[in-house]
């Protein structure tokens, strides 16, 4: 069973461009979470999605950031008009729905560099 | 989520046991105690979780105080590959009634030396 897959692993964008980060959850997992880790800082929750629904977006910046998890295909984290402060490692995690406890499985991350 | 407090860093010699403490004095009765770790340049990795009783798995043991206000992650024989930042997390329950987001603090950076 393949783990959580993220691509690209490294992404370089110039200021003002768009960044699209993709996450394929583990097989059978219908819950996806996105986290951001700024340089030398801890991980911060961004958004939690189930198939076709956003469950909790309390950690998402109000502007330029959006996320989706369509019925078919990977989850996408989209950052419009990137700025240097968006440079960070973005991690995706997935979990099954097993009741009151859900272990999260993390991908290797996408390292975004904004020039 | 309930707040956790961990030492910033700890050191251990290889092949010796390591006890990583975590204080969570505001824990509620339904909070599970989770531990994750993050190796350099990698995504976080689940280690272990528990509610009231001590727990063991192939990676580690989790000792939970009787009043549940603190817990200790035990690595029985540290190796160089255990060098990582260890996070103690109490995720609580989201509005769907299941554990949801993880709130990572600063964790404990474990250094393992030969």
């Amino acid at each position: 069973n393949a783990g959580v897959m993220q691509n690209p692993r490294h992404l370089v964008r110039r200021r003002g461009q768009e960044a699209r980060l993709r996450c394929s959850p583990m097989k059978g997992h219908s819950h996806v979470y996105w986290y951001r880790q700024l340089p030398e800082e801890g991980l911060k929750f961004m958004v939690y999605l189930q198939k076709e629904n956003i469950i909790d977006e309390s950690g998402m910046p109000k502007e330029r950031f959006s996320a989706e998890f369509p019925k078919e295909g990977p989850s996408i984290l989209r950052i419009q008009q990137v700025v240097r402060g968006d440079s960070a490692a973005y991690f995706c995690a997935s979990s099954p729905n097993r009741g009151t406890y859900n272990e999260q499985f993390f991908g290797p991350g996408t390292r975004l560099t904004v020039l | 989520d309930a707040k956790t407090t961990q030492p910033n860093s700890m050191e251990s010699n290889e092949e010796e046991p390591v006890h990583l403490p975590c204080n969570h004095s505001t824990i509620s009765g339904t909070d599970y105690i989770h531990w994750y770790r993050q190796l350099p340049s990698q995504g976080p990795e689940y280690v272990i979780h528990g509610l009231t009783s001590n727990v063991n798995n192939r990676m580690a043991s989790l000792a939970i105080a009787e009043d549940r206000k603190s817990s200790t992650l035990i690595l029985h024989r540290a190796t160089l590959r255990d060098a990582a930042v260890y996070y103690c997390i109490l995720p609580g329950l989201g509005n769907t009634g299941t554990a949801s987001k993880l709130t990572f603090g600063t964790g404990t950076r474990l250094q393992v030396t030969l």
Side-chain angles (χ1 to χ4, degrees), chain A residues 35 37 99 101 103-104 106, chain B residues 34 36 38 46 98 100 102:
Chain A
Y35 296 83
Q37 188 168 32
Y101 169 69
E103 168 191 346
Q104 293 187 19
F106 283 80
Chain B
H34 299 214
Y36 283 76
Q38 187 175 21
Y46 165 81
T98 60
S100 57
L102 299 175

Side-chain angles (χ1 to χ4, degrees), chain B residues 20-99:
Chain B
L20 298 164
C22 180
N23 288 320
H24 30 77
S25 58
T26 60
I27 191 170
S28 74
T30 57
D31 281 335
Y32 280 81
I33 302 160
H34 299 214
W35 284 81
Y36 283 76
R37 71 179 185 180
Q38 187 175 21
L39 280 65
S41 300
Q42 295 188 29
E45 174 187 30
Y46 165 81
V47 177
I48 200 167
H49 79 280
L51 184 61
T52 56
S53 305
N54 294 343
V55 184
N56 299 293
N57 66 21
R58 63 175 180 80
M59 289 180 69
S61 296
L62 178 60
I64 301 172
E66 195 169 334
D67 63 6
R68 302 211 324 126
K69 293 184 185 300
S70 65
S71 60
T72 302
L73 180 70
I74 302 167
L75 307 179
H76 295 285
R77 290 182 64 204
T79 70
L80 295 177
R81 287 177 292 182
D82 291 320
V85 179
Y86 287 78
Y87 297 96
C88 170
I89 301 170
L90 280 60
L93 298 177
N95 54 15
T96 60
T98 60

Side-chain angles (χ1 to χ4, degrees), chain A residues 95-110:
Chain A
S95 69
N97 186 10
R98 291 201 222 112
T100 56
Y101 169 69
N102 292 317
E103 168 191 346
Q104 293 187 19
F105 297 81
F106 283 80
T110 293

Side-chain angles (χ1 to χ4, degrees), chain B residues 100-114:
Chain B
S100 57
K101 66 183 180 184
L102 299 175
T103 300
F104 290 83
T106 52
T108 297
R109 183 174 299 277
L110 175 65
Q111 292 181 294
V112 181
T113 54
L114 293 170

Side-chain angles (χ1 to χ4, degrees), chain A residues 41-53:
Chain A
E41 293 189 18
L43 290 98
K44 303 293 184 189
F45 166 80
M46 299 182 75
V47 63
Y48 162 36
L49 310 102
Q50 293 181 22
K51 282 287 187 181
E52 299 185 277
N53 290 305

